[in-house]
Amino acid sequence: MDRYVTEGETPDANSLTELKAEAEHCRRCDLYKHATQMVFGHGPSRARIVLVGEQPGDKEDLAGKPFVGRAGMVLDECLAQADVDRDQCYVTNAVKHFKFEQRGKRRLHSKPNAGEIEACSWWLNNELRLINPKIVVALGGTAAAALLGSSIRVMRDRGKVIQSTLFPPVLVTIHPSYILRIRDRVDAEAEKRAFVRDLSAIGALAT
């Protein structure tokens, strides 16, 4: 059995294009009922680096691409400072539909639950199967749980490269949205520098 594939299931897609076409009709959980669209991964089909976030946000849900909102801007900036070319990375999420709570006209992010993460792992597993990267970066707790299980703790394990029997090595770090939530500017800048330090390890790991 392929190491990326859930037991009892056989992938049909032989390319990311085919996998994305399948994903557009996903009904594996109920999140599709309210989201605008499936937000599939984006980037080179043979990328050495795969960045995995939590789920699309409001802007990503509308645009149909991952990490195009404020967190994506922070990610771009920090990757550049870490001397990692984002254009050479494949960027995706553990969960492919936007989960939210409606508050008036606003749609507020709601954390995906374990069942939704598990249901969506089919797509992430097959993205990794088809790309076969050198290194996977888990951006935040949801991504880390999807890739490595619930025992991983981001603040305890951040900066570590964890070997897995199922995936290429996984570098654990924060999600860039965490930096945006820090109100104190000094603390936010310190956290951003720490994030850049984590990302700086990617280059050597991707060779």
Side-chain angles (χ1 to χ4, degrees):
M1 185 177 68
D2 193 296
R3 62 178 178 156
Y4 298 106
V5 179
T6 303
E7 186 175 359
E9 296 192 271
T10 303
D12 295 322
N14 294 309
S15 70
L16 287 174
T17 300
E18 291 180 7
L19 188 66
K20 181 179 180 181
E22 291 182 22
E24 288 173 353
H25 305 287
C26 181
R27 300 294 185 269
R28 288 177 172 269
C29 73
D30 289 339
L31 293 184
Y32 78 92
K33 294 179 179 180
H34 304 291
T36 303
Q37 59 192 312
M38 157 77 78
V39 180
F40 201 69
H42 180 76
S45 61
R46 290 292 179 264
R48 289 176 174 268
I49 302 163
V50 172
L51 307 170
V52 182
E54 179 186 84
Q55 66 165 337
D58 183 73
K59 291 186 181 297
E60 289 80 9
D61 172 73
L62 296 173
K65 291 178 66 175
F67 283 97
V68 296
R70 293 178 65 209
M73 294 173 64
V74 173
L75 178 62
D76 287 352
E77 180 183 347
C78 292
L79 285 171
Q81 291 180 22
D83 200 26
V84 177
D85 185 353
R86 173 168 167 172
D87 290 339
Q88 299 303 311
C89 301
Y90 184 88
V91 185
T92 191
N93 283 298
V95 173
K96 304 291 195 276
H97 285 107
F98 180 33
K99 182 177 181 180
F100 61 92
E101 295 180 7
Q102 193 76 45
R103 298 283 181 85
K105 294 183 178 180
R106 298 179 64 195
R107 300 191 300 173
L108 302 181
H109 166 276
S110 182
K111 187 177 178 66
N113 62 41
E116 291 156 349
I117 296 169
E118 175 65 25
C120 212
S121 65
W122 164 257
W123 304 111
L124 178 59
N125 290 354
N126 277 288
E127 284 175 295
L128 293 173
R129 173 182 66 86
L130 291 166
I131 298 168
N132 195 25
K134 293 289 186 181
I135 183 71
V136 180
V137 181
L139 299 169
T142 296
L147 292 163
L148 299 167
S150 59
S151 64
I152 297 298
R153 295 291 180 267
V154 172
M155 290 308 180
R156 182 193 67 200
D157 298 317
R158 69 175 300 178
K160 294 180 181 178
V161 178
I162 298 177
Q163 303 293 327
S164 168
T165 58
L166 297 176
F167 303 112
V170 177
L171 172 66
V172 177
T173 187
I174 62 167
H175 193 284
S177 63
Y178 174 68
I179 297 171
L180 294 171
R181 294 195 297 270
I182 300 174
R183 294 187 177 183
D184 184 88
R185 179 172 294 183
V186 174
D187 290 345
E189 287 300 320
E191 190 58 56
K192 184 182 289 187
R193 289 192 296 271
F195 185 42
V196 171
R197 286 196 297 272
D198 291 344
L199 297 177
S200 294
I202 292 175
L205 293 167
T207 57

